[in-house]
């Protein structure tokens, strides 16, 4: 569905990431994990066609993204940006309806079917009561839900989400991740940029780890996220413990005598 | 004010406002140094069969007043109100800033310089509106080319370039004012304050075929303007090319503004406050905000022009009235926004 080949990006002489390769299949929930500045967001921008890579190529459903028009890309891949305020107070319904844009032929009088799809989705996501509320007055979690709803209503086979849970409380984080799992089960290819290794362990079926501008690991989270990789990304500040079926990354606590919890 | 949310209600409000514009225009046609009755206005407009009229000097005079003086002013006020309000809505959407106005790229300063040159050197610049239009268009071209860095135009550099160029041309206007004689200085000052006193059918025949279709086309792009106004990357992700659409919309808005300014001078505040009022009434969806802005802009300038013609014996330049009414309105908006 989404293929990234030999992708590199530089700002002048500064290498943002170099030689990235991966291919995502249908019904896959994949996370991109890495510390700040590892090039995750820039990678997403290249995958969306927002910026041109310095080298390499991105393909969507077998077609090179550089050969596709903006409107064609929008029918294949949707994007959920980090939660952010907007200037004008559009209602939730208007914001979600914007997701239908690639499918709207007459902007002057938008067909009733598009409104119906939006209404049905808002109902399904329990957002119907907020339909007429101003997007700018919602809480962070609600805004993120609305942005995800907008991407869902765009009906694309591939979805890219840039840190969708970064500003949310725990309940809303679980809500969003469960929604992403559901989307994967419906056949979508979902690529999520995240900072939390636990979310990756609990919800994703694949992880791509970026460190020092390169892709250092790619595979199932349980196989990839071991002590060695965690140490390589984050340093000796955390450890992996086994909890139920999945693992859990916890802080490595400093003892009073200066040794760490495992020593 | 609670804004209207259902599309049916919005359409009804647009219809009701169109009717209000019509009624205001009728009232405006009645009032003046020579008051006319509503019947006389109707008779003059629709030129009812002579058998229904008492054919006399008064009815002929009414016809003359309506067709040669008041109706062209009203139509011109409507066209300019539409142009300024629509371009204000476009600029605010494209720059994602509700405090941007149509003169942001230096249109008004360029037009002021062009008009002043035509007033001070009438033998060189034979037509004032043509000179004002050419200079306003040149100003925008200079602003855009200054803002271009490596083929890219950043919003901030565009606004800064507009401020710089605007300030430069304002200084040139000051120089012209300084060197001009008393009569020319008076004319420049009057022109800068704007007004419809020179409005006739000739101007309308020139402006209407451009302002009406361009405003209609911008309205057609209202939905795309919605999407552009939430951010470039999001617009791209929804299939709308922000760069191409913004450039086209800004070109349309600049054309609307510079044409209006060239013919009626600088009328402040309309392009800033009318889009605000429209969004407060119906929300930011430009499919409705654009026609509502056009109607409110028409209504506002009609109202101000009627006051300008009737408040004192002579005529108050309309720019003074729009500023007197506009400034407190913006203050009110800022205070209520801060409070909420």
């Amino acid at each position: 569905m989404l293929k990234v080949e030999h992708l590199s990006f530089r700002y002048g002489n500064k290498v943002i990431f170099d030689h990235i390769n991966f291919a995502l299949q249908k019904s896959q929930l994949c996370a991109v994990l890495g510390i700040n500045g590892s090039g995750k967001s820039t990678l997403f921008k290249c995958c969306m066609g927002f910026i041109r890579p310095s080298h390499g190529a991105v393909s969507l459903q077998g077609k090179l993204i550089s050969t596709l028009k903006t409107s064609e890309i929008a029918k294949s891949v949707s994007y959920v940006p980090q939660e952010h305020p907007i200037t004008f107070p559009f209602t939730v319904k208007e914001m979600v309806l914007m997701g239908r844009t690639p499918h709207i032929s007459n902007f002057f009088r938008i067909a009733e079917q598009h409104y119906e799809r939006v209404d049905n989705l808002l109902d399904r996501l329990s957002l119907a009561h907020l339909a007429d509320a101003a997007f700018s007055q919602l809480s962070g979690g609600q805004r993120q839900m609305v942005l995800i709803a907008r991407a869902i209503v765009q009906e694309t086979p591939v979805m890219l989400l840039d840190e969708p849970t970064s500003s949310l409380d725990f309940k809303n984080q679980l809500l969003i991740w469960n929604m992403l799992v559901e989307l994967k089960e419906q056949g979508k290819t979902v690529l999520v940029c995240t900072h939390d290794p636990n979310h990756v362990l609990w919800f994703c079926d694949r992880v791509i780890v970026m460190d020092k501008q390169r892709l250092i690991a790619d595979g199932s989270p349980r196989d990839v996220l071991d002590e060695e990789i965690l140490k390589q990304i984050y340093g000796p500040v955390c450890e992996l413990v086994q909890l139920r079926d999945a693992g859990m990354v916890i802080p490595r606590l400093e003892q009073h005598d200066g040794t760490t919890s495992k020593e | 004010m609670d804004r209207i949310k259902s599309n049916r209600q919005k359409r009804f409000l647009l219809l009701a406002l169109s009717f209000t514009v019509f009624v205001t225009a009728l009232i405006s046609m009645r009032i003046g140094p020579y008051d006319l009755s509503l019947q006389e206005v109707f008779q003059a407009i629709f030129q009812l069969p002579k058998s229904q009229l008492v054919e006399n000097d008064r009815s002929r005079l009414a016809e003359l007043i309506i067709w040669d003086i008041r109706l062209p002013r009203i139509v011109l006020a409507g066209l300019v109100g539409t142009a300024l309000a629509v371009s204000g809505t476009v600029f605010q959407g494209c720059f994602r800033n509700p405090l941007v106005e149509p003169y942001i790229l230096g249109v008004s300063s360029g037009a002021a310089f062009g008009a002043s040159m035509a007033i001070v050197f009438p033998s060189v610049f034979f037509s004032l509106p043509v000179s004002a239009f050419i200079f306003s268009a040149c100003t925008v071209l200079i602003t855009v080319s200054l803002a271009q860095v490596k083929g890219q135009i950043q919003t901030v550099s565009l606004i800064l370039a507009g401020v710089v160029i605007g300030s430069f041309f304002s200084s040139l206007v000051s120089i012209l004012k300084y060197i001009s004689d008393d009569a020319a200085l008076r004319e420049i000052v009057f022109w800068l304050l704007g007004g419809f006193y020179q409005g006739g059918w000739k101007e309308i025949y020139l402006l209407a075929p451009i302002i009406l279709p361009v405003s209609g086309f911008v309205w057609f792009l209202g939905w795309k303007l919605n999407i552009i106004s939430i951010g470039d990357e999001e617009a791209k992700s929804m299939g709308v090319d922000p760069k191409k659409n913004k450039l086209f919309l800004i070109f349309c808005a600049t054309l609307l503004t510079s044409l209006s300014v060239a013919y009626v001078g600088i009328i402040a505040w309309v392009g800033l406050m009318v889009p605000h009022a429209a969004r407060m009434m119906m929300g930011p969806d430009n499919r409705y905000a654009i026609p509502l802005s056009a109607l409110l802009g028409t209504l506002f300038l009609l109202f101000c022009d009627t006051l300008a013609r009737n408040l004192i014996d002579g005529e108050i330049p309309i720019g003074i009235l729009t500023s007197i009414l506009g400034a407190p309105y913006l203050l009110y908006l800022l205070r209520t926004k801060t409070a909420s």
Side-chain angles (χ1 to χ4, degrees):
Chain A
M1 299 301 283
L2 175 72
K3 196 172 179 186
V4 169
E5 291 171 287
H6 313 296
L7 206 70
S8 305
F9 189 87
R10 289 157 204 264
Y11 276 121
N13 289 329
K14 192 182 176 201
V15 178
I16 305 300
F17 57 76
D18 198 24
H19 208 70
I20 305 283
N21 287 288
F22 64 88
L24 298 181
Q25 309 305 320
K26 200 175 174 217
S27 288
Q28 213 166 43
L29 174 51
C30 176
V32 181
L33 193 67
I35 57 164
N36 288 332
S38 58
K40 303 188 299 292
S41 292
T42 313
L43 174 67
F44 266 48
K45 285 177 185 177
C46 285
C47 290
M48 285 300 300
F50 295 160
I51 50 176
R52 278 191 187 173
S54 313
H55 187 256
V58 178
S59 313
L60 273 170
Q61 295 177 298
K63 290 177 188 162
L64 279 176
I65 207 166
S66 53
T67 62
L68 296 174
K69 288 183 194 162
T70 312
S71 54
E72 290 169 331
I73 298 172
K75 282 182 182 165
S76 299
V77 55
S78 50
Y79 173 67
V80 179
Q82 285 185 44
E83 181 268 309
H84 65 102
I86 59 166
T87 311
F88 299 108
F90 287 104
T91 63
V92 166
K93 201 171 180 175
E94 285 163 349
M95 281 296 283
V96 178
L97 187 64
M98 286 183 195
R100 293 297 301 163
T101 304
H103 308 281
I104 294 171
S105 51
N106 180 1
F107 291 113
F108 212 52
R109 196 174 175 86
I110 293 172
E112 203 52 43
Q113 53 143 328
H114 298 296
Y115 284 99
E116 279 168 15
R117 276 171 200 256
V118 170
D119 287 339
N120 290 341
L121 181 70
L122 290 178
D123 247 350
R124 200 150 59 81
L125 301 179
S126 308
L127 291 170
H129 65 290
L130 295 172
D132 288 329
F135 175 79
S136 47
Q137 287 174 356
L138 302 182
S139 69
Q142 288 169 330
R143 278 190 209 172
Q144 201 64 59
M145 292 281 282
V146 171
L147 293 178
I148 292 174
R150 191 180 69 188
I152 294 173
V153 93
Q154 203 168 328
E155 291 178 353
T156 55
V158 183
M159 289 176 78
L160 264 62
L161 298 94
D162 192 0
E163 295 180 31
T165 56
S166 58
S167 59
L168 304 188
D169 61 50
F170 191 60
K171 184 185 166 193
N172 277 315
Q173 288 180 13
L174 295 185
L175 198 73
I176 300 284
W177 276 105
N178 282 323
M179 194 187 283
L180 298 181
V181 171
E182 200 183 309
L183 287 167
K184 176 200 78 175
E185 281 162 3
Q186 286 166 9
K188 304 259 186 205
T189 305
V190 186
L191 184 65
V192 191
C193 176
T194 182
H195 276 300
D196 193 330
N198 287 321
H199 289 160
V200 180
L201 284 163
W202 299 334
F203 299 102
C204 297
D205 43 23
R206 185 171 167 189
V207 63
I208 290 165
V209 183
M210 287 179 74
D211 187 46
K212 297 187 181 73
Q213 293 81 43
R214 298 189 78 86
L215 192 156
I216 56 163
D218 178 0
S220 149
R222 279 181 218 180
D223 299 336
V224 167
L225 294 183
D226 54 20
E227 291 277 358
E228 195 184 331
I229 281 282
L230 288 172
K231 195 173 177 185
Q232 192 174 341
I233 314 171
Y234 303 113
V237 293
C238 58
E239 59 184 298
L240 184 71
V241 293
Q242 285 306 312
L243 186 76
R244 293 201 221 142
D245 289 341
M248 186 169 179
V249 180
I250 59 166
R252 196 185 288 266
L253 295 175
E254 284 268 337
Q255 307 288 333
H256 290 299
D257 57 3
T259 58
T260 56
S261 56
K262 270 208 158 178
E263 283 166 352
Chain B
M1 182 195 281
D2 272 346
R3 63 187 234 217
I4 297 167
K5 280 159 188 160
S6 111
N7 288 351
R8 192 176 292 176
Q9 282 176 317
K10 286 177 184 174
R11 285 194 281 270
F12 177 76
L13 179 69
L14 288 176
L15 209 67
L17 207 65
S18 309
F19 182 71
T20 315
V21 168
F22 178 71
V23 172
T24 314
L26 280 179
I27 295 168
S28 176
M29 274 186 264
R30 273 198 59 202
I31 310 170
Y34 189 89
D35 275 344
L36 297 169
S37 72
L38 208 55
Q39 192 194 6
E40 283 172 316
V41 170
F42 271 112
Q43 280 167 347
I45 294 174
F46 300 110
Q47 291 174 319
L48 297 175
K50 297 290 180 201
S51 58
Q52 290 181 24
L53 286 173
V54 183
E55 181 73 28
N56 58 20
D57 284 349
R58 192 177 159 85
S59 74
R60 269 202 296 277
L61 187 63
E63 215 174 291
L64 198 75
I65 290 171
I66 294 294
W67 281 98
D68 287 357
I69 302 168
R70 292 188 193 165
L71 195 56
R73 279 187 77 131
I74 287 165
V75 175
L76 197 61
L79 284 173
V80 172
T82 298
L84 292 178
V86 168
S87 65
T89 312
V90 169
F91 275 113
Q92 291 177 5
C94 284
F95 290 121
R96 297 165 61 198
N97 186 340
L99 291 174
V100 162
E101 62 164 346
Y103 303 141
I104 189 108
L105 301 183
V107 172
S108 54
S109 322
F113 179 67
S116 306
M117 289 290 270
I119 292 167
V120 179
F121 307 108
S123 52
V124 184
F125 301 91
F126 55 93
S127 163
L128 189 149
V130 173
S131 172
F133 178 73
I134 289 173
F135 274 97
S136 66
C138 287
T139 319
V140 175
L141 277 179
I142 298 171
T143 304
V144 171
S145 47
L146 274 182
Q148 228 168 17
V149 183
K150 291 180 186 169
Q152 297 283 320
I153 298 175
Q154 298 295 330
T155 306
V156 177
S157 45
L158 193 62
I159 292 175
L160 279 176
V163 171
V164 170
I165 293 298
S167 166
F168 176 71
F169 276 95
S170 296
S171 318
L172 293 183
V173 172
S174 301
I175 294 172
L176 286 174
K177 276 181 181 171
Y178 185 71
I179 61 167
S180 61
D181 59 36
D182 282 358
L185 178 64
R186 189 180 155 76
E187 210 180 325
I188 291 173
V189 170
F190 256 84
W191 189 89
L192 288 178
L193 291 168
F196 298 109
Y197 41 86
Q198 287 178 329
W201 291 108
K202 198 185 91 189
E203 284 76 21
I204 291 167
Y205 292 145
L206 270 165
L207 294 180
I210 301 173
I211 288 178
L212 294 178
V214 171
S215 302
F217 206 69
V218 168
W219 183 16
F220 183 75
L221 291 175
W223 182 254
K224 285 192 174 178
L225 184 58
N226 286 351
I227 290 170
I228 290 168
S229 74
I230 58 169
D232 284 4
E233 286 185 354
E234 281 175 78
K236 261 190 181 175
S237 77
M238 283 176 267
V240 176
D241 185 334
K243 194 178 166 190
K244 216 165 36 177
N245 284 287
K246 257 192 214 176
L247 271 180
F248 181 73
L249 282 164
I250 290 172
F251 170 76
C252 288
T254 304
L255 183 65
L256 291 174
T257 314
S258 38
L259 270 177
S260 309
V261 172
Y263 281 92
V264 300
I266 299 163
I267 299 177
W269 293 94
V270 182
L272 176 66
M273 61 174 252
V274 168
H276 259 293
R279 278 196 299 269
M280 278 179 82
M281 286 167 81
M282 281 215 231
D285 184 349
N286 287 299
R287 291 175 303 154
Y288 296 97
I290 289 173
L292 182 62
S293 290
L295 286 170
L296 288 177
T298 300
L299 199 62
F300 180 60
L301 281 194
L302 253 179
F303 177 71
C304 288
D305 188 47
T306 311
L307 285 183
R309 285 192 285 122
N310 294 293
L311 272 183
I312 56 169
D313 277 347
E315 181 166 336
I316 305 172
I318 196 165
I320 295 177
L321 285 174
T322 54
S323 301
I324 286 175
L325 294 172
Y329 175 77
L330 190 69
L331 199 65
Y332 158 78
L333 267 183
L334 288 173
R335 288 187 73 88
T336 49
K337 286 259 177 195
T338 314
S340 65

